[in-house]
Amino acid sequence: MCPACKDVFKLRSALRECDCGLVQGRYVDASIAEVSKGAISIAIGNGSLQQAISNMNRIKSSGDADRNSYRDEARIEYAWVRPNSGKGNPHTKVLGE
């Protein structure tokens, strides 16, 4: 995520950048990423995301959902921010280092 323009974007093998161009990032291989020094790395647990999607679909098909139903029952339980390198995130490096 870019702290300046608030753009959140998925990394790929080709270098990508946020809307304002301040933050860049890419996957080096299947387990290592490189990001700009100022980037904010966001992690979302795959199982947590899949469960939230499943809950959303269940709520939607029930026919009596409202905004609170989705907020309360289809939330992503495991999401966190982490540093761009070091012990807190051993799979990411800062571009140029």
Side-chain angles (χ1 to χ4, degrees):
M1 179 184 138
C2 175
C5 69
K6 310 300 186 231
D7 188 19
V8 176
F9 58 96
K10 180 179 178 174
L11 300 184
R12 301 192 187 282
S13 59
L15 191 64
R16 298 184 78 188
E17 65 181 31
C18 66
D19 286 342
C20 75
L22 180 68
V23 167
Q24 298 177 326
R26 70 183 181 111
Y27 282 115
V28 176
D29 60 32
S31 64
I32 302 293
E34 291 181 317
V35 296
S36 298
K37 185 176 181 178
I40 298 171
S41 291
I42 301 171
I44 300 173
N46 288 338
S48 182
L49 179 59
Q50 292 302 320
Q51 185 63 56
I53 292 167
S54 176
N55 291 348
M56 177 198 65
N57 289 331
R58 180 183 47 77
I59 294 164
K60 190 166 65 172
S61 67
S62 74
D64 55 83
D66 62 14
R67 180 179 174 162
N68 291 333
S69 299
Y70 292 104
R71 185 194 66 216
D72 295 341
E73 298 177 45
R75 68 178 59 228
I76 299 170
E77 189 171 350
Y78 297 105
W80 59 97
V81 294
R82 58 191 180 184
N84 292 329
S85 62
K87 291 181 182 179
N89 189 353
H91 298 287
T92 303
K93 301 175 183 176
V94 175
L95 280 166
E97 288 185 356

